[in-house]
Amino acid sequence: MCGIVGYAGYREALPILIDSLKRLEYRGYDSAGVAVVEDSVKIVKDKGYIANLESQLPQLRGVVGLAHTRWATHGAPSKDNAHPFYDCREKIALAHNGIIENYAELRDELKAHGHTFRSQTDTEVLVHLVEQSYAGNLEDAIRKALARCTGTYAIAVVHADEPDKLVAARNFSPLIVGLGAEENYVASDVPALLKYTDKVLYVMDREIVVLRPKSVQILDFEGRPVAREPQRITWSLEDAERGGFDHFMLKEIFEQPQAIHNTLLGRMTEVDTNGFFQDVTSVKLVACGTSYHASLVGKYVLEEVAKVPTTVELASEYRYAPTPTEQPLVILLSQSGETADTLGAAREAKRRGCKTLGITNGVGSSLTRETERTMYTRAGLEIGVAATKTFTAQLVALYLVAIRMGLDRGALSPEDANRLRDELRALPRHVQTVLNQADPIADLARAYAGARDMFFIGRGINYPVAMEGALKMKEISYIHAEAYAGGELKHGPLALLTPDTPVVAVTVRDRNYEKMMGNVGEVNARGSPVIAVGTEGGRDLPRFVEHVVYVPKVRDLLYPVPVSVVFQLLAYYAARKRGCPIDKPRNLAKTVTVE
Ligand code: M6R
C-alpha cells in the first residue's frame, strides 16, 4: 500500500530511486513521484505507472532523494495528489505510506496559520507541520510534527537546507534501511534493495532514521539514539525478476513445487519448542483475503488432525468484535506480515490475553514482532499482487501446525503423523502434475474468458478453495466470480445460471463426491457449462460435465493444494486472454498497510 524509497550516497540518486521504486510497484500504481536534492529540492510526479513518470524525467544530478508509488486512500489518483509533496516554500519534500487520521483538523489549523494546500490528501498536512516546526534540524522538526499526528505512517523527507541528509520515520507502516558502502537506502520492502545491498536494519514503530552517505542513525521519538544490529537478507535479485516468464504471477505459480518443498523443510522448528500447543483447547484463525481462505481450509485441517475446535474470523472484523470469555490460541496468517488489519488483530488478541502464533512469508515483518511465536512459510519472494505460491505454502504450514498440535494434545499418534508427513512430502510432485497440464487449462480458460459471470462451487474443505478460485478469477480477470458451497446453489444463486454462466466445480473423489455430483446435476439442468476438477482415474465425470481437469489422488484433506493450482492457472490464462494487467490489477495493491 504505497511504496517509498530513499537514497543518500555518492552516486546520482535518480536512476537508483527509479530502479528500486519499480520493485515496489506491486504496492500501488495510482501515481508515482520523485524528489532529488540539488541546489533546491526538485519534485517530478504524475498520475499512473512508474514507466509514465520515467518517460518525463529531466536530468537531475543530486545524490540524495526519495521516491513514492501510490495506492490512493485520501484523494483520487491524480498528479496533484501524487507524492512527494512540497511545503509552502518548496524547500521540503515528503512522501508517506499510511493514513493520518486527524488530518482534517490539522489541515484547518495549518490553513489558519497561512499554509497553502495543493492536494486532497491526508499526507500533505505532514509536510506543512514539518515546515512549521523546522528550526534548522530536520529530524527535530519531524519529531515535533509527528507528535501532532495520529494514524499510521512511514515517511521519507528531505530539506534543501540540509542537502546531505534524508530523514525517515515509522509508525505501523513498514520501513527498512539498506546499508551500503558510503551510500545508504530506505525502502518500504526488501525487493527495492536487493540490487544494492543484502544488509538491512528493520526500523521499529516510533523510530526516526537519519540517513547520510556515510552514516545511519536511529532515534526514538524522544530523540534518544537506538542501537540496532544489521541483518542479512537471503532473497536474491533473481527472486525479484520475472526470469523468462511473462508475468510474476505465472512464475510464482510454477514455483509452487519448490515453495511447498521449502516450507516443509522449514518444519516446525519455531513452534516445536516447549510444547507450545499442549494446553491449547481451542483455536481462532484470523486473516484477510487469500490468507483468510487458507484459514478456512485450516479449520478443517485442525479439527480433523488435532481434534481442536477451531473458528475463523476476518481480521478486520475480529479487531472490533466484542471480547468473548474464552481465550483460544489465535493464529494470524499473513503473506506479507504487514497487513494493517491483521496486525491490529494480533494486538487485540494479546489484549484479550490469548496466546498468539503468526504464520507469515515476510521475514522480519511486523507480524513477527506482534505475535509470541512465528512460523515462516518459505515460499520465497512473491511479487504478483495475486497470492499464489504463498497460499499453498500457508496450507502446508497449517498441515504442519495441525500435526504438531495433534501430537502435543495426544490427538494424533506418531504413526499417523508420519503417514501424513509422507503424504505432504509428495505434494510438490502432485502440484507438478497439475502444472504439466497448463496448456489444456489455458485452452479452457481462453474458451470461457468472455464470460461476464462465473460460479465456483465446492463442498467441505473444498468450499474455501472455491472461494479462493473465485477471488483469483475476479481480481485479475475482472470476471465477476462468486463462490458457493455446492448445497447452497438451490437456495438462491441458481436463479442466476444461464447457458452463458460457466460453473467451476470441485468434484474430486472425496467424501463429498456424490453430493457434489448432485449439485452438478442441478447446474446441468439449467444448461450452464460445467468445468469440473476431478480425481485422476475418475472416468465417469466426462459423462456429466463439459470439461474436466484432473488432479492426482490424495487424501481428502490435501486436495485444496492441487485444486487451487488449477484455479490459479484458470484465472491467469483468462486474464491474459482478456488483456488484463495481471501483476497489477486495477485498484489493488499487494500489501494493504491501511485499515
Ligand atoms: O499479506 P496478507 O496475506 O496479509 O494479505 C492479505 C490480502 O490482502 C491478500 O491475501 C489478498 O487478498 C491477495 N493479494 C489476493 O490474491
Side-chain angles (χ1 to χ4, degrees):
M1 199 105 307
C2 298
I4 296 177
V5 295
Y7 175 79
Y10 59 88
R11 292 187 276 172
E12 279 184 14
L14 189 60
I16 295 171
L17 291 170
I18 295 296
D19 175 72
S20 36
L21 192 66
K22 279 183 185 164
R23 297 177 194 281
L24 294 186
E25 201 164 26
Y26 66 86
R27 299 178 68 85
Y29 28 85
D30 288 329
S31 62
V34 62
V36 175
V37 188
E38 297 195 309
D39 298 338
S40 59
V41 173
K42 307 270 173 30
I43 290 182
V44 188
K45 58 187 187 177
D46 203 356
K47 186 180 169 182
Y49 291 141
I50 298 168
N52 175 47
L53 172 74
E54 200 176 10
S55 69
Q56 46 183 301
L57 287 172
Q59 195 161 39
L60 298 173
R61 297 211 173 276
V63 294
V64 173
L66 55 91
H68 184 273
T69 185
R70 177 171 189 242
W71 186 83
T73 57
H74 294 61
S78 70
K79 183 172 178 172
D80 284 346
N81 290 336
H83 302 217
F85 292 103
Y86 275 132
D87 63 320
C88 296
R89 292 179 307 152
E90 303 196 351
K91 291 197 129 196
I92 306 171
L94 179 147
H96 166 224
N97 168 28
I99 291 180
I100 304 302
E101 287 162 1
N102 58 338
Y103 80 99
E105 62 198 67
L106 290 170
R107 195 181 167 107
D108 290 346
E109 180 190 312
L110 287 157
K111 274 184 176 172
H113 278 91
H115 290 266
T116 306
F117 282 76
R118 302 172 176 120
S119 79
Q120 290 77 51
T121 64
D122 55 324
T123 299
E124 201 183 347
V125 297
L126 285 170
V127 75
H128 293 288
L129 280 173
V130 175
E131 176 181 29
Q132 183 137 304
S133 310
Y134 189 76
N137 180 295
L138 187 55
E139 55 272 31
D140 282 352
I142 289 174
R143 214 151 33 83
K144 285 181 193 143
L146 294 179
R148 302 288 323 280
C149 299
T150 55
T152 60
Y153 45 82
I155 58 169
V157 194
V158 289
H159 195 301
D161 291 349
E162 297 179 78
D164 71 330
K165 187 198 272 185
L166 179 144
V167 183
R170 162 188 175 144
N171 193 38
F172 294 130
S173 299
L175 187 69
I176 50 172
V177 172
L179 302 172
E182 305 204 352
E183 51 186 349
N184 295 304
Y185 313 78
V186 289
S188 301
D189 200 359
V190 170
L193 303 178
L194 289 174
K195 188 165 166 187
Y196 303 103
T197 181
D198 63 353
K199 229 164 116 188
V200 299
L201 296 169
Y202 290 97
V203 182
M204 304 295 160
D205 287 338
R206 299 181 59 76
E207 287 184 350
I208 293 179
V209 185
V210 184
L211 207 74
R212 290 190 174 85
K214 293 185 185 170
S215 70
V216 171
Q217 192 184 21
I218 301 182
L219 306 167
D220 65 18
F221 270 20
E222 280 68 51
R224 293 178 296 234
V226 175
R228 175 90 19 91
E229 281 304 307
Q231 300 196 20
R232 293 266 168 208
I233 304 169
T234 52
W235 289 337
S236 70
L237 186 58
E238 257 175 33
D239 295 323
E241 316 235 292
R242 288 204 306 268
F245 285 89
D246 290 339
H247 297 96
F248 280 110
M249 182 181 177
L250 191 62
K251 173 180 177 240
E252 289 154 6
I253 290 173
F254 274 82
E255 282 171 346
Q256 286 179 105
Q258 191 61 47
I260 291 170
H261 174 77
N262 291 346
T263 300
L264 284 168
L265 276 188
R267 305 251 302 262
M268 291 296 296
T269 42
E270 292 87 353
V271 287
D272 238 352
T273 49
N274 311 336
F276 186 65
F277 296 127
Q278 248 159 27
D279 56 354
V280 170
T281 52
S282 64
V283 173
K284 186 178 281 294
L285 295 157
V286 181
C288 306
T290 290
S291 299
Y292 172 69
H293 296 153
S295 305
L296 291 170
V297 173
K299 170 182 162 64
Y300 290 87
V301 177
L302 288 168
E303 291 192 335
E304 187 160 325
V305 176
K307 307 277 181 284
V308 65
T310 302
T311 53
V312 186
E313 219 163 318
L314 287 164
S316 52
E317 293 296 316
Y318 174 80
R319 296 181 67 175
Y320 302 110
T323 309
T325 45
E326 42 133 18
Q327 292 189 319
L329 163 68
V330 177
I331 304 183
L332 300 117
L333 284 95
S334 172
Q335 176 280 129
S336 58
E338 299 293 352
T339 298
D341 284 321
T342 311
L343 295 176
R347 280 176 222 122
E348 175 60 16
K350 276 189 290 181
R351 193 193 65 75
R352 294 182 189 183
C354 300
K355 272 171 101 160
T356 54
L357 166 66
I359 299 183
T360 182
N361 203 45
V363 178
S365 62
S366 302
L367 189 66
T368 65
R369 291 186 290 277
E370 295 289 355
T371 48
E372 257 171 80
R373 299 286 172 95
T374 301
M375 179 182 184
Y376 283 118
T377 49
R378 291 171 160 79
L381 186 59
E382 187 178 75
I383 290 179
V385 166
T388 52
K389 62 177 178 172
T390 54
F391 174 70
T392 46
Q394 282 174 342
L395 298 184
V396 168
L398 286 164
Y399 293 127
L400 293 174
V401 167
I403 292 174
R404 184 70 262 161
M405 203 182 292
L407 289 167
D408 279 3
R409 286 166 45 84
L412 182 72
S413 70
E415 297 72 32
D416 286 343
N418 282 338
R419 248 190 304 278
L420 183 49
R421 285 193 187 110
D422 284 345
E423 291 172 42
L424 287 174
R425 280 192 275 272
L427 279 178
R429 187 160 41 81
H430 296 322
V431 167
Q432 190 57 52
T433 305
V434 176
L435 294 173
N436 293 345
Q437 301 173 73
D439 287 345
I441 295 173
D443 289 343
L444 208 49
R446 284 191 280 264
Y448 290 101
R452 201 190 61 176
D453 307 296
M454 253 185 212
F455 284 84
F456 284 72
I457 57 172
R459 276 177 175 256
I461 198 168
N462 290 309
Y463 170 38
V465 179
M467 293 167 80
E468 175 59 10
L471 175 63
K472 286 292 89 94
M473 187 59 83
K474 65 186 138 198
E475 73 177 322
I476 61 159
S477 78
Y478 310 153
I479 295 173
H480 168 238
E482 296 272 357
Y484 278 93
E488 276 297 296
L489 279 186
K490 57 185 177 290
H491 297 294
L494 272 186
L496 293 173
L497 293 192
T498 70
D500 296 325
T501 320
V503 177
V504 184
V506 187
T507 55
V508 290
R509 276 278 179 184
D510 65 0
R511 64 189 77 152
N512 294 310
Y513 176 75
E514 304 297 339
K515 297 283 176 216
M516 269 308 294
M517 290 313 289
N519 302 136
V520 164
E522 293 160 9
V523 174
N524 279 335
R526 275 77 195 171
S528 304
V530 176
I531 301 167
V533 181
T535 301
E536 255 169 20
R539 293 212 188 82
D540 51 342
L541 260 180
R543 287 199 285 126
F544 303 105
V545 300
E546 271 70 15
H547 312 278
V548 190
V549 178
Y550 291 106
V551 298
K553 174 145 188 59
V554 289
R555 77 159 75 186
D556 286 8
L557 224 47
L558 302 187
Y559 274 116
V561 174
V563 173
S564 55
V565 178
V566 176
F567 289 172
Q568 294 163 2
L569 289 167
L570 274 177
Y572 173 80
Y573 286 109
R576 199 173 163 141
K577 171 76 178 168
R578 290 164 70 96
C580 297
I582 290 175
D583 286 330
K584 296 174 206 156
R586 72 178 169 224
N587 301 336
L588 298 182
K590 180 126 189 102
T591 310
V592 186
T593 55
V594 294
E595 261 194 73

